[in-house]
Amino acid sequence: MTSAPGRRSSTFTRLLRHGFTDPSAAERLLDGPELTALRDDPVLLDALGATADPDLALLGLVRLLEAQPDPTARRELLDTVIAAKPLRDRLLGVLGASAALADHLARHPSDWQALVTYEPRDLHPGVEEFESGLADVTDAVTLRVAYRRCLLSIAARDVCDTIDVAETAAELADLATATLRAALRLAREAAPEDAALCRLAVIALGKCGGHELNYVSDVDVVFVGEAAEGADEDKALRAATRLASHMMRLCSETTVEGTIWPVDANLRPEGRNGPLVRTLASHLAYYQRWAKTWEFQALLKARPVAGDADLGEAYVAALHPLVWQAAERENFVADVQKMRRRVVENIPVAEVDRQLKLGPGGLRDVEFAVQLLQLVHGRTDASLRSGTTLDALKALAAGGYVGRTDAAQLDEAYRFLRSMEHRIQLHRLRRTHLVPDDETDLRRLGRSLGLRTDPVAALTREWKRHASAVRRLHEKLFYRPLLDAVAQLAPGEARLSAEAARERLVALGYADPAAALRHLEALASGVTRKAAIQRTLLPVLLGWFADSADPDAGLLNFRKVSDALGKTPWYLRLLRDEGAAAENLARVLSAGRLAPDLLMRAPEAVALLGDGDGGGLRPRSRAHLEQEILAAVRRADNAAQGVTAARGVRRRELFRTAAADIVGSYGTESQPAEADQGALVDLVGAAVSDLTAATLAGTLRAVVRENWGDDLPTRFAIIGMGRFGGHELGYGSDADVLFVHEPREGVDEHEAARAAAKVVAEMRRLLQIPSSDPPLLVDADLRPEGRNGPLVRTLSSYEAYYRRWSLVWERHALLRAEPVAGDADLGRRFVELIDPLRYPPAGLGEDAVREIRRLKARMESERLPRGADPKLHAKLGPGGLSDVEWTVQLLQLRHAAREPGLRTTRTRPALTAAREAGLISAEDAATLDEAWVLATRVRNAVMLVRGRAGDTFPTVPRELAAVGRYLGHGPGHAGDMLDEYRRTARRARTVMEELFYGGD
């Protein structure tokens, strides 16, 4: 077959037109001796062009012809391929879809005859037919050959669309059943003494048990054994174990004919640590006393497949009732929440977007959703107790437990995704759930699914469409029927009963399902546009609420916000149209009391939750805050109005900061949780400190303006102390300050002092007046002489006091001093005054060091609240904030004079500077930093969850769980959170004792 140089042959062009990607290689194969007579046969080319991969199909056909034992056999094969269209389509279809089955046919060239044996479209072999196909096997090798011969016929019907994906999966499960029976027969024949001692039943779980097996999948089983009549039970169980082990090896081991599939018994009681074979009584005792929720979920698909049929049926009869009681178990809600949180962290990052099974919108989403609904409602409705996903989904829709439209879309998506999975595995007969990234593989995959026009692009488009549908429907599947049940919009449509709705809400974590249903009815009932939008939003919102520690509070708070804003035109539009707004709101409303309380006082702050460019939740700078607050003060008629406006801004900005913290801690579907916990601590500390400073600046301006006009008779500055000066304020922190003033030229000192005192008193009063805005408590107890000293002093008075009377603790406290409001020049001169005190040029004397250590020890013994667990006290407990801060501050007092990096009011930068100066090892610095960040996060979490400040973990389980969620611990892991805190604090205490109490 030659052509002029530079010109392509007509055959080359025809091959391209028929879908060949390597026409030159195909021409060579067609020119070979095996196909010379048929090289121009249009029937053959058309048939090859109809396959998933014409190049692969042609190569497989040539290899099969070459493998025939003689010319007569080769002629018979060719004649049949050309004359018999059904066989031609089946044989070439398999060769074009599966390189592994082509390899099998090349090794066993007469097995193509297995594809001739069926004709009628409705011929669907079952276990009996497959058992017949495996009847003559004598060992592991012949078992594999016979298995693949049977598999050929299934694959042929599959690729020719004679059977759909559900029928394919069912036939694969039936073939697996027949294979397990054959393997058990071989094991029994090899050890007749063991067979005589025991009764052994093989129970299939998972996809095999559910009649929905893949081409290559682990076959999950459990074994149940009993002693034969008159046999000793221990001996019988040992014999049964040997039989079961041999049966597993016969299927799983690699031979010259490869392997079949792994037989996996790890779903048995106690997993790998438990005995391989148990008696029925032992199984029953385990499931009644020890089994976890996921183990009952696995039993949902249990069915006897091999061995003693009566024993297998007895097993199912005894254990199935327990499956349908699982939803009544004490820990069912926590278990469900844990199972619902997708474990994508275990999937390599490079594979997440290619995962067909475990990735977002994957097969596991559908299977889990269906199984959960079965567990919740199957105890009262036996029609839902199918082990097959699609049959169960159909039953759920028929009973009103799932919306019919949603069920239909989910059915379509699941079938498409399973078809993709089947064809991917069929190619090499390898267990994989990854969509290939090679274009040749994608092209074959797309063509095998009937996508012939630009198959790669079409496949990607369809896959993403169906995965997106699964993601979208996954949550709606749980919640939309709840809305249908209360909205009563479509007469005649099957709906959840009130009891079924209650059961579902309880299963999803709602403690008061009756109240939840009332909220849903209030939000979603009616034919108004508002109700219609709510019915669109709520299925997704309810899922986010259920993902929190307090779904009831989330739903109640959402109703309150909706009642307050329901008539505003922008509210529901924001939630519907802004991608992040609805999820951010759900996270904020269900994470605790503080953020919802702040929001309820001014619901319009919901607008901050819109995504836009992501700036809605970004804390504003101190300059912007001061500008806004001072402008509001100028517009106010009096000081009270001005301070009210300033407190309103503070409330709004506290909400913004809390919302950013919650969203960053929880993460969203599009943005994972912030991995750097220190970054969240720094964000909150800086934002709240800047906000407090701006509020004080505005309040100072309001008080001065009302009483003295533009100028106060004395210069006045506010010095931040403690956490305020260190930019480390939490949500519940007081503002520790010092007040300093300096009479203006010509002003009497007594008049100046009275004016300064009046400013302080009026500021504190206005900031604490009961109102809808949270008060700001201003604490000046760190002033000279403490509570016995004057609230405000002149700069010269401070200088005189510190020169003559200052104590070590006061120098220590001044390490955090930083001007925050008022006269900037006066604040700067105050800092110049105190720098030699807090950064002593000669360092700290030994007497002073001993005094600081004595003060710390006394504080540890006297200030810890009575009854508190010291090991869990985030502020004063071992390894808590106090330990870390006193350690860092002692280093500052001793070394800051010669190490400029230590001259900071902030803990973490000072710790970094100490490490860089070689005063502390990198490992010890990291230990202290980790403990400080964790303790600060605990205090922030307690305030967010309880709405009031606290230094210890809550004792109420739901509040403790909410703190855990904020700190990154999933449902049911509160104990792990406490253990992690103790470990972190213990390590920090060890470092602290060495650095603080140890030698120089």
Side-chain angles (χ1 to χ4, degrees):
M1 188 180 294
T2 58
S3 57
R7 295 182 59 190
R8 290 179 173 173
S9 71
S10 59
T11 303
F12 186 100
T13 305
R14 278 210 324 272
L15 291 171
L16 277 177
R17 198 164 55 243
H18 278 86
F20 286 84
T21 56
D22 189 352
S24 298
E27 275 190 296
R28 288 193 296 273
L29 290 173
L30 287 169
D31 278 343
E34 294 79 13
L35 289 175
T36 302
L38 300 176
R39 70 179 189 183
D40 295 321
D41 191 318
V43 172
L44 178 62
L45 284 184
D46 288 345
L48 289 168
T51 65
D53 187 337
D55 301 85
L56 187 65
L58 177 57
L59 177 61
L61 178 60
V62 170
R63 291 179 63 207
L64 178 57
L65 287 166
E66 289 174 342
Q68 295 305 306
D70 52 58
T72 303
R74 192 174 303 128
R75 188 71 256 171
E76 180 188 2
L77 172 58
L78 276 176
D79 289 346
T80 308
V81 165
I82 296 304
K85 183 180 188 306
L87 171 82
R88 180 170 63 246
D89 292 343
R90 292 192 294 273
L91 177 60
L92 295 182
V94 168
L95 293 174
S98 178
L101 288 178
D103 290 343
H104 172 83
L105 285 170
R107 289 195 307 272
H108 305 280
S110 64
D111 276 5
W112 68 270
Q113 300 277 0
L115 301 180
V116 182
T117 57
Y118 84 97
E119 287 296 337
R121 184 179 177 81
D122 61 349
L123 178 60
H124 298 295
V127 176
E128 188 176 335
E129 287 77 15
F130 289 127
E131 281 194 281
S132 176
L134 300 175
D136 296 330
V137 302
T138 57
D139 54 25
V141 173
T142 55
L143 180 63
R144 281 148 180 70
V145 175
Y147 172 84
R148 287 205 170 77
R149 189 182 303 123
C150 294
L151 192 65
L152 266 173
S153 65
I154 298 176
R157 287 189 293 278
D158 179 17
V159 299
C160 292
D161 295 327
T162 304
I163 51 177
D164 65 18
V165 65
E167 292 168 322
T168 301
E171 289 192 14
L172 289 167
D174 286 342
L175 175 56
T177 297
T179 305
L180 291 171
R181 291 179 182 178
L184 182 57
R185 170 175 61 80
L186 292 176
R188 291 170 67 91
E189 289 173 355
E193 314 82 16
D194 285 345
L197 281 174
C198 65
R199 301 167 62 202
L200 176 64
V202 184
I203 312 297
L205 304 177
K207 282 186 161 54
C208 184
H211 262 105
E212 50 188 15
L213 198 60
N214 298 330
Y215 276 101
V216 186
S217 175
D218 289 359
V219 172
D220 296 310
V221 300
V222 294
F223 297 100
V224 56
E226 299 287 351
E229 187 174 351
D232 177 76
E233 185 175 285
D234 288 341
K235 290 182 178 178
L237 286 178
R238 286 196 293 271
T241 300
R242 288 191 291 271
L243 291 174
S245 299
H246 191 187
M247 186 204 83
M248 294 172 68
R249 291 195 303 274
L250 283 166
C251 297
S252 305
E253 284 183 347
T254 301
T255 70
V256 292
E257 285 292 337
T259 185
I260 302 179
W261 19 245
V263 178
D264 188 344
N266 289 333
L267 293 178
R268 65 186 184 271
E270 300 181 74
R272 294 179 180 178
N273 297 320
L276 184 62
V277 181
R278 289 174 182 258
T279 63
L280 177 54
S282 176
H283 275 284
L284 193 57
Y286 174 84
Y287 284 106
Q288 287 173 334
R289 296 187 60 189
W290 308 110
K292 297 180 175 62
T293 299
W294 69 263
E295 293 179 281
F296 291 106
Q297 187 179 5
L299 282 179
L300 194 151
K301 296 179 180 289
R303 67 182 178 94
V305 291
D308 191 299
D310 292 339
L311 182 56
E313 292 296 342
Y315 174 92
V316 171
L319 292 180
H320 259 203
L322 299 180
V323 173
W324 308 112
Q325 296 166 16
E328 300 171 3
R329 290 162 55 86
E330 181 180 350
N331 296 319
F332 182 74
V333 171
D335 290 343
V336 165
Q337 287 182 322
K338 279 188 283 187
M339 290 189 293
R340 286 183 65 249
R341 291 173 69 82
R342 193 189 327 282
V343 194
V344 295
E345 292 84 0
N346 294 331
I347 306 173
V349 174
E351 294 182 3
V352 170
D353 293 336
R354 296 166 51 213
Q355 254 287 348
L356 205 55
K357 179 179 180 180
L358 301 176
L363 292 162
R364 179 60 58 83
D365 275 356
V366 183
E367 292 160 358
F368 173 81
V370 170
Q371 289 165 22
L372 175 58
L373 292 176
Q374 287 181 277
L375 288 175
V376 173
H377 300 297
R379 57 179 170 165
T380 57
D381 188 343
S383 71
L384 305 180
R385 299 179 182 179
S386 170
T388 305
T389 301
L390 291 177
D391 290 346
L393 181 59
K394 183 178 179 181
L396 286 165
Y401 302 99
V402 173
R404 290 185 183 276
T405 301
D406 291 346
Q409 292 181 11
L410 212 57
D411 181 281
E412 180 189 6
Y414 187 72
R415 288 174 181 273
F416 183 84
L417 296 174
R418 282 301 301 273
S419 296
M420 282 186 68
E421 184 182 47
H422 278 184
R423 302 301 166 80
I424 291 169
Q425 293 183 351
L426 179 59
H427 180 226
R428 293 287 183 191
L429 287 183
R430 290 176 183 165
R431 183 176 181 269
T432 179
H433 307 286
L434 286 181
V435 177
D437 51 9
D438 177 77
E439 185 158 344
T440 301
D441 292 333
L442 287 170
R443 182 175 182 274
R444 180 192 316 107
L445 181 57
R447 284 174 59 91
S448 76
L449 297 171
L451 305 171
R452 297 305 173 96
T453 303
D454 196 359
V456 176
L459 173 68
T460 304
R461 184 172 58 250
E462 286 298 294
W463 170 35
K464 297 301 182 184
R465 178 175 71 84
H466 287 297
S468 175
V470 171
R471 281 200 304 273
R472 187 178 69 251
L473 291 169
H474 183 227
E475 296 294 351
K476 290 166 66 176
L477 203 65
F478 298 114
Y479 300 109
R480 180 179 280 174
L482 292 170
L483 301 180
D484 292 341
V486 299
Q488 299 291 320
L489 288 179
E493 185 77 13
R495 285 195 187 87
L496 287 181
S497 66
E499 179 60 20
R502 188 198 70 79
E503 288 175 343
R504 186 172 302 190
L505 284 165
V506 168
L508 293 162
Y510 289 82
D512 188 350
L517 285 171
R518 288 195 300 274
H519 299 326
L520 293 177
E521 185 172 5
L523 289 164
S525 293
V527 294
T528 64
R529 180 174 175 273
K530 180 175 75 171
I533 295 176
Q534 288 280 24
R535 287 193 295 274
T536 301
L537 293 169
L538 276 166
V540 181
L541 286 169
L542 286 168
W544 287 323
F545 294 149
D547 196 37
S548 74
D550 196 350
D552 300 81
L555 180 55
L556 172 61
N557 290 330
F558 180 68
R559 181 179 175 184
K560 289 179 179 178
V561 173
S562 295
D563 287 347
L565 294 176
K567 294 183 179 179
T568 59
W570 56 268
Y571 167 61
L572 290 175
R573 186 170 64 242
L574 171 80
L575 298 184
R576 183 191 64 195
D577 297 341
E578 290 281 357
E583 185 176 4
N584 289 346
L585 179 62
R587 299 298 183 202
V588 166
L589 293 181
S590 56
R593 295 181 183 176
L594 178 64
D597 286 350
L598 293 170
L599 181 60
M600 296 309 168
R601 293 167 181 169
E604 64 276 3
V606 165
L608 300 176
L609 300 171
D611 51 4
D613 62 354
L617 295 181
R618 189 179 300 126
R620 301 170 71 200
S621 69
R622 182 184 297 191
H624 279 99
L625 293 169
E626 279 195 21
Q627 184 179 20
E628 180 182 1
I629 289 173
L630 292 175
V633 167
R634 283 195 299 272
R635 292 192 297 269
D637 294 335
N638 53 52
Q641 282 188 10
V643 175
T644 297
R647 289 176 65 181
V649 172
R650 178 171 176 265
R651 184 230 328 113
R652 184 197 69 208
E653 295 303 318
L654 278 175
F655 172 75
R656 188 198 304 268
T657 302
D661 188 15
I662 290 166
V663 171
S665 298
Y666 272 68
T668 64
E669 290 186 354
S670 59
Q671 186 72 33
E674 172 60 63
D676 183 357
Q677 304 292 293
L680 289 172
V681 165
D682 294 343
L683 177 145
V684 173
V688 178
S689 300
D690 286 348
L691 178 55
T692 301
T695 304
L696 289 176
T699 303
L700 174 62
R701 178 68 61 85
V703 171
V704 170
R705 183 167 171 259
E706 178 166 277
N707 293 279
W708 295 278
D710 290 336
D711 291 315
L712 186 65
T714 184
R715 294 182 179 87
F716 188 91
I718 303 173
I719 310 299
M721 300 288 286
R723 298 194 180 286
F724 187 15
H727 298 257
E728 295 162 2
L729 284 179
Y731 299 110
S733 301
D734 296 347
D736 290 320
V737 299
L738 299 177
F739 296 107
V740 58
H741 78 103
E742 183 179 67
R744 295 186 185 277
E745 189 174 344
V747 176
D748 178 72
E749 284 192 12
H750 295 293
E751 179 189 350
R754 284 194 299 272
K758 182 174 182 179
V759 167
V760 171
E762 190 66 3
M763 285 182 66
R764 298 178 82 187
R765 182 185 73 83
L766 290 171
L767 287 169
Q768 296 179 49
I769 291 175
S771 75
S772 61
D773 297 314
L776 175 57
L777 301 179
V778 179
D779 187 341
D781 287 354
L782 292 175
R783 64 188 182 271
E785 301 178 75
R787 295 182 180 179
N788 298 319
L791 275 173
V792 59
R793 290 175 179 262
T794 62
L795 183 63
S796 60
S797 174
Y798 275 106
E799 190 274 334
Y801 175 86
Y802 287 137
R803 185 179 68 252
R804 299 182 60 190
W805 307 110
S806 68
L807 301 174
V808 172
W809 74 262
E810 290 174 309
R811 293 198 223 173
H812 186 190
L814 288 172
L815 285 168
R816 310 274 253 164
E818 180 175 291
V820 293
D823 190 292
D825 180 66
L826 181 59
R828 178 185 56 76
R829 286 187 285 133
F830 180 86
V831 169
E832 291 174 352
L833 166 68
I834 65 172
D835 272 354
L837 291 168
R838 59 183 178 176
Y839 310 135
L844 209 58
E846 286 307 308
D847 289 345
V849 171
R850 279 195 296 272
E851 175 66 10
I852 287 177
R853 289 170 175 164
R854 187 186 65 80
L855 287 171
K856 176 71 169 74
R858 193 180 78 183
M859 184 179 73
E860 289 178 9
S861 62
E862 295 178 1
R863 291 183 58 187
L864 198 69
R866 181 176 298 174
D869 181 353
K871 293 180 180 178
L872 293 175
H873 198 282
K875 182 177 181 182
L876 301 176
L881 294 173
S882 174
D883 273 3
V884 177
E885 290 166 0
W886 281 63
T887 301
V888 172
Q889 288 157 14
L890 181 58
L891 290 172
Q892 290 180 281
L893 287 166
R894 302 180 76 174
H895 302 288
R898 62 176 184 273
E899 294 291 346
L902 289 171
R903 298 173 201 166
T904 174
T905 62
R906 308 181 189 204
T907 302
R908 298 187 74 204
L911 189 55
T912 300
R915 186 199 71 219
E916 292 174 348
L919 301 173
I920 181 174
S921 70
E923 182 180 356
D924 287 350
T927 297
L928 293 179
D929 185 72
E930 181 186 10
W932 189 88
V933 167
L934 180 57
T936 304
R937 291 270 290 160
V938 169
R939 298 180 88 214
N940 286 344
V942 170
M943 185 66 186
L944 285 169
V945 169
R946 302 178 67 193
R948 60 182 187 275
D951 296 315
T952 59
F953 289 90
T955 56
V956 177
R958 184 158 276 199
E959 291 179 347
L960 185 64
V963 169
R965 294 301 306 278
Y966 171 85
L967 294 177
H969 296 272
H973 287 280
D976 294 341
M977 169 183 66
L978 299 179
D979 288 344
E980 179 192 358
Y981 181 83
R982 291 188 187 99
R983 282 194 305 272
T984 303
R986 187 168 59 247
R987 290 195 297 265
R989 178 68 181 191
T990 301
V991 173
M992 177 267 184
E993 288 180 346
E994 173 64 28
L995 293 174
F996 188 83
Y997 289 122
D1000 293 336

